Each structure stands twice: as C-alpha cells, then as structure tokens.
Amino acid sequence: MSEEKLDKILDRLNEISKWTKLQGLEKFSQIVPSILKSDEEKIAFELSNGIRSASEISTQSGIPKSTITAYWRKWAKSGIVEESEKFVGRMKHLVSLEEAGIDVPKISEKKSKESKND
C-alpha cells in the first residue's frame, strides 16, 4: 500500500476517533451522576490518573485508602476506569470529569491535613 493511501486512512481514523470521543463524552456525562454520587467520589475519581496509588490519593484527599480501593472496584465494573498501563493495581479514569464538563469539587485543606496527621 502506498504511503499516500496510508496517510488517508490515518486521517480518516483520526476523524472517526474525534467523533467517537465526542459521543463518548456525551454518554459519560449522562451516566456519571448515577455512579459518582458524592463529592468524595468525584474527588477520588478525578485523582485516579493511573499514576497515583490509593495511598497517595488518600493522603491528598483525606479519603480512606480502603474506600478508594472499593471505589476502584465499583468503577471498574461500571467501565469508567481501567487499570494503569504502567502501574499494576492502580486505576486510571477513561476521561476526567473536567474534560466531560463536570464540576470537580475542591479538596478541603482541612481533610488533606487531617489525613497527613493520621
């Protein structure tokens, strides 16, 4: 196959990818409120980037580590997170709440400090 044809195929795949992502964001925005019911869940979800561990998210947010791992199991079943490609056992959101146009609650300074003192 010629390089010109491959470039056309790649351009078409990129276009399809953009439209698919747009449709996915719309669907994600519709289902997230029924899955992430509390501000705590939204904060934990947003911090779940596949790099941070449950312990790191706990320290940063004040949410117990056991709660974060329970959230991860629930969210994996819902399909809104996947396991990190780099770090086994860590979860990564498929799309951030911010990207989907969903407000992300602020992490309370008090909670973050309380978690560090535990």
Side-chain angles (χ1 to χ4, degrees), residues 7-65:
D7 286 342
K8 285 182 181 183
I9 291 169
L10 184 59
D11 287 344
R12 183 58 54 100
L13 286 173
N14 285 332
E15 185 177 334
I16 292 168
S17 177
K18 287 176 193 174
W19 283 105
T20 303
K21 184 173 182 175
L22 183 63
Q23 288 177 319
L25 283 173
E26 184 177 328
K27 182 70 173 171
F28 178 83
S29 298
Q30 291 170 357
I31 65 167
V32 160
S34 66
I35 299 170
L36 305 178
K37 295 181 180 176
S38 68
D39 285 353
E40 180 180 272
E41 283 185 278
K42 290 176 185 174
I43 290 167
F45 180 84
E46 194 68 13
L47 292 173
S48 298
N49 63 1
I51 297 169
R52 292 182 188 95
S53 67
S55 295
E56 290 169 323
I57 294 171
S58 176
T59 299
Q60 193 170 353
S61 66
I63 301 166
K65 179 183 172 186

Side-chain angles (χ1 to χ4, degrees), residues 65-99:
K65 179 183 172 186
S66 60
T67 301
I68 292 164
T69 57
Y71 287 158
W72 282 355
R73 283 190 298 276
K74 177 179 107 173
W75 300 336
K77 287 178 185 174
S78 300
I80 62 172
V81 296
E82 62 186 1
E83 190 167 358
S84 171
E85 295 164 359
K86 292 184 177 183
F87 302 101
V88 176
R90 297 180 187 187
M91 291 296 171
K92 172 185 171 186
H93 51 244
L94 298 181
V95 63
S96 75
L97 296 177
E98 210 169 75
E99 285 178 298

Side-chain angles (χ1 to χ4, degrees), residues 43 59-62 105-114:
I43 290 167
T59 299
Q60 193 170 353
S61 66
K106 299 286 183 220
I107 298 172
S108 158
E109 284 287 324
K110 182 181 175 192
K111 274 191 175 183
S112 184
K113 286 179 185 175
E114 284 174 4

